Amino acid sequence: MAAGRTRRVRRPELLLSLVPCLTGAVVLLVMLVSVSGPAPVQLSAGGPRPDHPLRNLALRDAPPMPGPWTESYAENFDETASAWGLEENALRRWTRPDGVEFAETLRRFTSADTAAQYLVDRNRALVEQGEVVDYPPRQWPSGADEARYFCERGARGCEQWWIRTRYGQYVLELRSTEPTRRDEIPEWLASSVRAASHALTAVVPG
């Protein structure tokens, strides 16, 4: 090569020279995502489960808190979820004279994938309301493909809880308006989650 002339790098050589840099950037990106904070807990969409009437899967007992409780039951009330492929839904609600409410909502979608997408969208909308904190579950509900716990914080601590779990194409939601001072799910509510999960998976195991 003559003096004063620069060697031109051909394109294949240039691309090869960039491989280590690109690889390092990918590794760094993965590391940053890993340490950026807790991510939503999700295993997989899960396979399809047997189709059963939701009435056979719902809780029968009132919440394990002092009553008296008034119970109501409704089916196919949620029209908004039809955009995600909703096939059937059912709601069992218990209320106390002081206004405290405990509710179990069951939804069955056309597939596990549509149920998972419904949860992604609805969970995001819930957090975007503000003052709602996403807590990873301390104990994974038996047989669930996905679990998310949400607390609406107020002057008295957690003033409302949403527990959302998914089992294939089924989505189970428990909601409680019993205030809790601590930011951890109370034991009575944790036991209700276990009971609801057991009742559902006993009929539609994974």
Side-chain angles (χ1 to χ4, degrees):
M1 181 181 296
R5 296 180 60 185
T6 58
R7 178 174 176 266
R8 297 180 62 185
V9 180
R10 290 176 295 178
R11 288 186 177 180
E13 295 177 286
L14 177 60
L15 291 175
L16 287 175
S17 67
L18 292 176
V19 169
C21 298
L22 294 174
T23 303
V26 171
V27 172
L28 178 59
L29 178 60
V30 171
M31 291 175 63
L32 289 174
V33 171
S34 300
V35 301
S36 60
V41 180
Q42 181 172 342
L43 292 181
S44 65
R49 309 213 179 184
D51 284 343
H52 277 271
L54 298 185
R55 183 180 292 270
N56 297 342
L57 310 178
L59 287 171
R60 296 290 188 271
D61 299 328
M65 293 187 299
W69 295 98
T70 300
E71 180 184 343
S72 63
Y73 182 82
E75 291 184 349
N76 299 325
F77 64 94
D78 187 0
E79 298 296 335
T80 59
S82 59
W84 289 270
L86 181 71
E87 288 189 328
E88 185 181 9
N89 61 88
L91 168 67
R92 193 181 298 274
R93 179 189 289 120
W94 293 268
T95 56
R96 267 189 345 209
D98 61 358
V100 169
E101 178 179 300
F102 180 80
E104 178 195 34
T105 305
L106 278 169
R107 296 179 176 89
R108 188 180 69 241
F109 293 83
T110 54
S111 69
D113 290 332
T114 55
Q117 186 57 53
Y118 168 81
L119 272 187
V120 167
D121 295 340
R122 299 305 294 167
N123 289 344
R124 181 188 302 116
L126 184 60
V127 172
E128 288 175 353
Q129 291 180 10
E131 297 301 321
V132 175
V133 181
D134 185 357
Y135 288 100
R138 291 181 299 173
Q139 183 177 3
W140 194 269
S142 175
D145 297 312
E146 186 175 355
R148 300 283 293 279
Y149 294 9
F150 299 94
C151 154
E152 181 181 22
R153 303 191 61 177
R156 297 177 294 177
C158 287
E159 297 190 345
Q160 188 166 192
W161 283 95
W162 290 269
I163 312 298
R164 290 175 174 172
T165 53
R166 187 178 56 77
Y167 310 79
Q169 71 269 34
Y170 294 90
V171 171
L172 167 66
E173 177 180 291
L174 299 179
R175 186 176 66 88
S176 169
T177 61
E178 173 77 12
T180 59
R181 294 185 179 181
R182 302 178 61 189
D183 288 343
E184 294 181 354
I185 179 173
E187 178 52 35
W188 72 264
L189 184 53
S191 67
S192 296
V193 174
R194 291 192 294 267
S197 183
H198 177 76
L200 195 150
T201 55
V203 183
V204 289

